[in-house]
Amino acid sequence: MGKSEDLLLVGVDLGTSGVRVDVYGVNGEVLASGRAPIKKQTTDEWLRAVKEAFPSKFLREKKGKKLVSVDSTSGTVVLVDEQGSPLIPPLMYYEKAEEEVKELYKFELVK
């Protein structure tokens, strides 16, 4: 690895109402930031918001290693297939999932 000054720390926070991305140098200085709202709770909307918030141009221009940490809304579940594609819409932490549980029986995941 190169000099520690070349290391960038990227934090991604996927919240209920929006995505926040901050890029830090090793000294803790914020070097770049991005924000994007989340208008509805779907995986497509989450991906759109992450792409919008991510300071991609800044990161492409910087040489060196980038370490990324991601956190998201607690208790939210997305059931995916082997390729990572969603099988059912996200189940948010504040929703009841009675109908979705019935759907899981189709995939033989619940017995």
Side-chain angles (χ1 to χ4, degrees), residues 53-106:
F54 222 82
S56 299
K57 183 178 182 211
F58 174 83
L59 289 169
R60 276 194 301 276
E61 292 172 352
K62 295 294 182 180
K63 303 246 186 286
K65 215 173 220 188
K66 289 117 180 149
L67 301 178
V68 180
S69 176
V70 180
D71 76 340
S72 65
T73 303
S74 64
T76 297
V77 176
V78 179
L79 183 64
V80 299
D81 64 15
E82 293 84 13
Q83 288 76 40
S85 298
L87 295 171
I88 59 176
L91 303 175
M92 299 301 293
Y93 65 93
Y94 53 77
E95 296 178 307
K96 287 187 176 183
E98 296 164 4
E99 292 303 312
E100 288 81 358
V101 169
K102 291 176 187 173
E103 278 290 304
L104 293 178
Y105 284 100
K106 294 179 183 177

Side-chain angles (χ1 to χ4, degrees), residues 16-41:
T16 304
S17 63
V19 173
R20 292 157 294 285
V21 180
D22 291 312
V23 180
Y24 298 88
V26 292
N27 62 358
E29 178 185 4
V30 177
L31 303 174
S33 291
R35 306 286 184 266
I38 292 176
K39 298 173 181 112
K40 58 185 176 178
Q41 299 302 332

